[in-house]
Amino acid sequence: RQCRPDLPLIGFQVLAFLWLALAQGNPNRRCWYLLSGLASLWAIMTKEMVGLVPLGSAVGYFLLRRQWKELFHTAFLGAIVLAIGPVAGWVWLEKALYHDTLWKNYFQQSVAFFMQAEHLRQPGWYYGWAILDKYWYLLPLALVGAWIALRKIFKGEEPRWGMILLWAIALPVGFTLAKHKVHYYILPSYAAAALLVGLALDRWIRP
């Protein structure tokens, strides 16, 4: 019940990460990148700027792996514009009409809330413990799947697994830096963990 207001945000974040993963190594990636931009926009509109986590994570991933073609792919840049453009336009319009901004009254306060909230302050290991406590039964298979995914990445096979690994760790690592921690903030990561579990099971079951 506690996470009901966040469910639309969680769903759109899952879609954004999934479509980013499907774009990797796909000759038709233009469509998937643009869809990820739309999902990020919907995530922002349903809750807050944390909806940009999938695209922001992808930017960091491309920079670390020096995938300049992907970073500057027109469809990926278009996804960023799709996600940010309407919000920026809305902020500008409200500023022009009412001499106030959504950024100051909502988005900026939201960022400050994550970084300064004291009533839900938790230690740095909070999300690690939450994963062990609530999803311990998935963790061994997910770790095996992560190992298989890493091997595929280093062999240059199925590049989407790099984005799926990023999907699995981006939110737990990112929200660990915030003072305000609630276990359901990292729910989108469990969808990626389920894909890693499936990868491990596929390796064992397939003859």
Side-chain angles (χ1 to χ4, degrees):
R1 289 179 189 172
Q2 289 178 326
C3 66
R4 279 182 298 181
D6 292 297
L7 286 178
L9 169 64
I10 291 166
F12 290 134
Q13 283 185 318
V14 167
L15 286 175
F17 270 121
L18 175 62
W19 289 335
L20 282 168
L22 290 174
Q24 305 312 301
N26 192 326
N28 299 317
R29 61 188 180 275
R30 179 181 299 274
C31 175
W32 297 117
Y33 276 141
L34 294 176
L35 283 172
S36 71
L38 284 175
S40 297
L41 170 62
W42 298 332
I44 295 169
M45 290 299 191
T46 56
K47 188 70 185 291
E48 54 207 7
M49 295 301 286
V50 74
L52 281 174
V53 167
L55 287 175
S57 300
V59 169
Y61 177 76
F62 294 147
L63 287 172
L64 286 173
R65 300 210 58 176
R66 299 181 180 180
Q67 293 184 351
W68 310 118
K69 288 184 178 180
E70 294 300 317
L71 180 62
F72 295 107
H73 192 284
T74 53
F76 181 68
L77 295 176
I80 295 174
V81 172
L82 275 175
I84 298 177
V87 178
W90 190 0
V91 169
W92 176 85
L93 183 62
E94 190 182 31
K95 177 67 173 178
L97 294 176
Y98 304 108
H99 307 290
D100 210 340
T101 65
L102 280 172
W103 174 255
K104 181 179 179 180
N105 290 332
Y106 181 68
F107 291 124
Q108 189 178 44
Q109 291 182 17
S110 178
V111 172
F113 180 74
F114 276 115
M115 301 310 297
Q116 300 174 8
E118 294 293 337
H119 65 291
L120 290 173
R121 186 171 185 173
Q122 298 290 348
W125 44 262
Y126 174 79
Y127 286 117
W129 173 250
I131 293 169
L132 287 172
D133 181 49
K134 299 178 183 299
Y135 299 97
W136 55 269
Y137 53 90
L138 285 177
L139 190 58
L141 284 172
L143 290 174
V144 171
W147 172 250
I148 297 171
L150 283 171
R151 292 181 63 184
K152 287 180 176 291
I153 294 166
F154 288 124
K155 290 180 181 179
E157 303 173 358
E158 301 182 58
R160 65 180 179 270
W161 287 106
M163 191 63 68
I164 291 170
L165 280 175
L166 176 70
W167 175 6
I169 65 174
L171 290 169
V173 171
F175 279 119
T176 293
L177 301 176
K179 292 182 178 179
H180 178 188
K181 299 179 180 68
V182 181
H183 68 87
Y184 56 77
Y185 284 173
I186 64 170
L187 281 179
S189 296
Y190 297 129
L195 292 174
L196 294 173
V197 169
L199 179 62
L201 292 174
D202 180 71
R203 176 62 61 90
W204 289 338
I205 295 172
R206 182 177 295 184

